Amino acid sequence: MNGLIAIVRRELAAYFETPLAWVFLTVFAVAAPSFAWRIGNLFETGRADLAPLFDYMPWLLLILMPALAMRSWAEERDRGTLEVLLSSPIPLWAAALGKFLAAWAIAGLALVLTFPLWIAMNYLGAPDNAATATAYMGAFLLAGGFLAIGQALSAATSNQVIAFVLGVGACFLITAAGLPVVLDALSGGLPGAAAEALAELSALARFESLRRGVVSLADLIYFVSLIGLGLASAMTLIDSRRGGGR
Amino acid sequence: MILADQLVKRFTGRTAVHEVSFTVERGEVLGFLGPNGAGKSTTMRMIAGCLEPDAGRALVDGHDSALDRQAAQSRLGYLPEGAPAYPAMSARGYVRFHLRARGFSGEALTHACETALKRANLGAAADKPIGALSKGYKRRAALAAAIAHDPPVLILDEPTDGLDPNQKDGVRALINEMAPKKAIIISTHLLEEVDAICSRAIVIAGGRLLADDTPHALARLGDDDTIGSAFRTLTRPAGEAISERAGSGRT
């Protein structure tokens, strides 16, 4: 537990001691409402809800989460500080989880920065606040899944740009798998069960049900599994650098 | 306190460390000598638990560095080659991070941190970002982090590399001061350092242990009774063999 707390504190300090967290939060705070206003026509729908914000949220997250996660291991490898970490008595799970929790906290803070929009909707009308809350929960879980994938790919390289590009690619794949256009295209060539299985793997479909206000155990398990898979992959990749194989 | 027992490490296509064995007891400072690529850092990394040996074992205070890693690492202070550290952190923040990871908190953490910063002679540089410090101060910041938890075992990979003569003297004095209570391994290219601080020295080349003796006894292996000539006598055959291989590869 000491190791976990030490890593979370160090990672948060690393985000805020450099311009990274400030730039990220500013870009998110500007981009998320801008998408909702400019592309989602937030104020022209005639409805007091945040649907336009969440329409574009997965696409914003799939760019910004890999940007937040790309440094997690690639930077340690590039600077040689990975050797310092691997020689310290911090268990690898604590290092991976600590890095993830710090990045997830910043993602959560970024989502909180869009709350003024939610407050404005309550001022303008009577939105379904329970559905909005589950939509925010869905966005937070989706951000966590993307961050975990980003961390795993950051562990695969010492180059942060490569980690970012791979992260965006992987997040795009699991998001796009649920798009109707992809599913329609695949349903012609794939057996029904395979297309259905692919749709089940899509993060977008899981997010969509949460943003409609439907909280199901299967969706929660999906996101927790995605996060677990990402962190376990990162740990495996880093641990394999010790070699030995005993 | 430190036992390397038949350590072997292979990387793709070559054996970096081949059946290297030695021990270091409390109160000893072991100088680890060898040409570049001899296997010094790889051996140190295996003892520190950064790398797992392909065969053999490394024990730190009785704990296996690969199988009982956390127990071994909690008894160890390790300064890797090049003294890597987080550039945005201050030296004080870096030392505090190391101490927190080892379970220090509150007054004990503050006391250990201040003692380490003082021993490493960081002075006013302790609160500047490590990335803004000179090479000497960066190395001292990393050294402060390695010694802060007062471990019984210290492994220092080229601790005086890149330091000016005064800074080298400072680090050597610090190692001499800590030596009676710890088992210390230092790797170095500076042969005068062996005379200055080491109670024993080993020479490694091509991944194989070539000599393990006191500096005085080691010096007798050379042509003119110096560590330098002994080093050249011991490692020249390996160097020449490499040159010959490279030469025959080109023709």
Side-chain angles (χ1 to χ4, degrees):
Chain A
M1 208 58 184
N2 292 322
L4 178 67
I5 293 165
I7 291 287
V8 171
R9 289 182 66 153
R10 199 213 83 72
E11 287 292 308
L12 283 174
Y15 280 119
F16 286 102
E17 277 168 353
T18 59
L20 184 60
W22 305 108
V23 169
F24 174 82
L25 291 171
T26 306
V27 168
F28 195 92
V30 171
S34 299
F35 272 39
W37 275 325
R38 309 288 298 182
I39 307 171
N41 299 320
L42 181 72
F43 292 116
E44 286 150 36
T45 58
R47 297 194 314 271
D49 69 20
L50 286 174
L53 177 70
F54 293 110
D55 279 344
Y56 297 99
M57 190 61 80
W59 307 104
L60 191 61
L61 293 179
L62 86 77
I63 298 288
L64 291 181
M65 292 304 117
L68 202 54
M70 68 182 189
R71 56 166 287 279
S72 55
W73 292 106
E75 190 181 47
E76 302 264 12
R77 283 178 59 172
D78 188 41
R79 291 197 173 137
T81 46
L82 183 61
E83 198 172 339
V84 177
L85 260 191
L86 292 180
S87 66
S88 78
I90 301 172
L92 206 46
W93 68 262
L97 186 62
K99 283 172 177 290
F100 170 76
L101 289 177
W104 208 17
I106 291 174
L109 186 58
L111 286 170
V112 168
L113 291 178
T114 64
F115 279 7
L117 218 51
W118 191 4
I119 294 165
M121 286 301 126
N122 274 281
Y123 180 73
L124 294 170
D128 182 347
N129 282 326
T132 306
T134 60
Y136 267 112
M137 187 177 81
F140 188 52
L141 287 168
L142 186 64
F146 286 171
L147 282 173
I149 291 169
Q151 194 187 122
L153 292 162
S154 173
T157 173
S158 57
N159 185 313
Q160 292 192 50
V161 177
I162 293 174
F164 172 70
V165 173
L166 290 175
V168 171
C171 292
F172 179 77
L173 280 179
I174 65 161
T175 305
L179 282 178
V181 63
V182 177
L183 290 176
D184 289 347
L186 290 175
S187 61
L190 282 177
E196 208 171 296
L198 195 69
E200 287 294 314
L201 284 176
S202 163
L204 192 63
R206 305 288 177 173
F207 173 69
E208 283 300 321
S209 71
L210 278 164
R211 65 165 282 194
R212 284 197 305 270
V214 181
V215 182
S216 76
L217 188 61
D219 292 339
L220 297 180
I221 290 172
Y222 170 84
F223 282 114
V224 172
S225 305
L226 193 61
I227 292 168
L229 180 71
L231 297 189
S233 304
M235 283 167 59
T236 305
L237 283 165
I238 293 299
D239 202 37
S240 70
R241 297 184 61 77
R242 288 191 216 260
R246 285 193 295 184
Chain B
M1 293 292 280
I2 305 173
L3 169 71
D5 180 17
Q6 299 284 302
L7 284 175
V8 175
K9 188 67 192 176
R10 297 182 197 92
F11 296 118
T12 322
R14 70 185 180 96
T15 301
V17 175
H18 185 75
E19 295 179 357
V20 167
S21 300
F22 58 86
T23 58
V24 189
E25 299 302 333
R26 190 187 295 272
E28 277 191 307
V29 179
L30 178 75
F32 212 23
L33 306 176
N36 287 329
K40 303 187 295 291
S41 293
T42 303
T43 305
M44 290 178 148
R45 284 178 186 139
M46 284 192 278
I47 299 169
C50 299
L51 285 176
E52 281 192 22
D54 292 312
R57 62 188 181 139
L59 300 187
V60 174
D61 201 12
H63 299 273
D64 193 305
S65 295
L67 304 176
D68 190 10
R69 189 180 296 137
Q70 269 180 270
Q73 289 178 333
S74 63
R75 288 160 175 81
L76 174 82
Y78 176 51
L79 177 72
E81 188 180 7
Y86 301 110
M89 273 184 136
S90 67
R92 190 184 306 278
Y94 188 59
V95 173
R96 289 180 71 87
F97 161 64
H98 276 265
L99 287 167
R100 205 173 280 123
R102 288 174 164 82
F104 282 72
S105 63
E107 193 62 34
L109 187 149
T110 304
H111 178 70
C113 176
E114 295 311 312
T115 304
L117 292 172
K118 202 172 166 187
R119 292 182 98 177
N121 207 11
L122 261 300
D127 291 307
K128 291 181 183 163
I130 292 172
L133 298 178
S134 69
K135 194 174 178 182
Y137 274 108
K138 274 182 198 166
R139 199 160 287 264
R140 285 195 237 176
L143 185 63
I147 63 171
H149 55 296
D150 197 20
V153 172
L154 272 179
I155 297 178
L156 310 173
D157 201 347
E158 299 185 2
T160 58
D161 183 41
L163 302 187
D164 68 36
N166 291 335
Q167 291 169 335
K168 277 179 187 159
D169 285 345
V171 171
R172 288 171 189 165
L174 176 61
I175 292 170
N176 277 329
E177 182 194 324
M178 294 186 295
K181 292 179 182 171
K182 298 185 192 299
I184 303 176
I185 301 179
I186 66 159
S187 81
T188 181
H189 286 299
L190 305 170
L191 301 174
E192 78 269 15
E193 203 150 83
V194 179
D195 271 333
I197 52 176
C198 297
S199 54
R200 240 176 76 219
I202 61 177
V203 179
I204 183 172
R208 290 170 193 273
L209 193 68
L210 302 177
D212 179 352
D213 220 323
T214 62
H216 186 66
L218 201 63
R220 284 204 297 270
L221 298 174
D223 299 331
D224 56 3
D225 284 1
T226 63
I227 299 275
S229 69
F231 180 84
R232 283 186 288 276
T233 303
L234 288 163
T235 59
R236 191 181 297 134
E240 282 170 0
I242 291 165
S243 304
E244 279 165 20
R245 276 203 301 276
S248 63
R250 279 195 295 271
T251 52

